[in-house]
Amino acid sequence: MDEGTPPWRHPLRRAALVAGAVAAGAAVAAAVLFVWLGTYAPLDATRSTDFAPGPGLGANVQPTFGSGGKPVFIPVYRKGRPFDTAFTLENTGRFAVTVLELRTETQNAGPLTAHAVLASDAATASADPADLHALTSLRLEPHDTAILDVRWRLDCTRSSGETTADHVRLRYRYLSLFTRTESVELPFAVTLRCVGGPPVNP
């Protein structure tokens, strides 16, 4: 190296600095990508208007036009009898996902609890028991849709008021590396009225 050449201008040192900067940038990009993939949330149930309540519906309250609200399904409460709701689930992301199960929190179960998710053989949203079967795993390619059914447990021994739910927590896997739970918003709400609810029909 010439005595008059500054050390930082030596070709090998400059190449090492460039390589180090590229490696650092690649590491940061990889970390950002990994974090993004770990929070990937492609499931959506609100883009379709295809949904339906199952047997035992006591009232179906439709939102006022222009209100931006949701229909509300109010089941008739019968002790020990669940209430089903069918809806269309869409994979809005770029990767295929496999829906594994409904994530339940039994220790925090309340009067209205989503406690099972079922697959449906119907071509449109239907909570007819004849169309439903256990969900083992459901693979959705990008932009694919499928009909699912959520079974709600009703328990007015835990409440004397009104309880509403419009989300379910679905567990899914993608890219063979990641498994996470997403809180999926439903296109409707279910409201359990333990006092002043719809009368039981014989």
Side-chain angles (χ1 to χ4, degrees), residues 154-175:
L154 313 179
D155 186 2
C156 280
T157 64
R158 296 173 177 267
S159 174
S160 59
E162 179 175 298
T163 305
T164 297
D166 66 351
H167 285 73
V168 291
R169 302 181 70 226
L170 296 178
R171 191 83 170 156
Y172 58 97
R173 183 175 60 243
Y174 55 101
L175 295 179

Side-chain angles (χ1 to χ4, degrees), residues 86-134:
F87 64 97
T88 304
L89 182 69
E90 181 181 1
N91 174 11
T92 63
R94 298 181 178 181
F95 312 115
V97 299
T98 300
V99 181
L100 302 173
E101 62 181 351
L102 177 77
R103 190 64 179 264
T104 58
E105 308 293 344
T106 54
Q107 68 272 21
N108 296 320
L112 175 64
T113 307
H115 76 103
V117 63
L118 307 171
S120 175
D121 294 327
T124 58
S126 169
D128 187 332
D131 297 324
L132 305 178
H133 55 87

Side-chain angles (χ1 to χ4, degrees), residues 11-36:
L12 293 180
R13 179 168 296 183
R14 183 165 53 188
L17 290 174
V18 171
V22 170
V28 170
V32 170
L33 178 62
F34 190 84
V35 170
W36 179 78

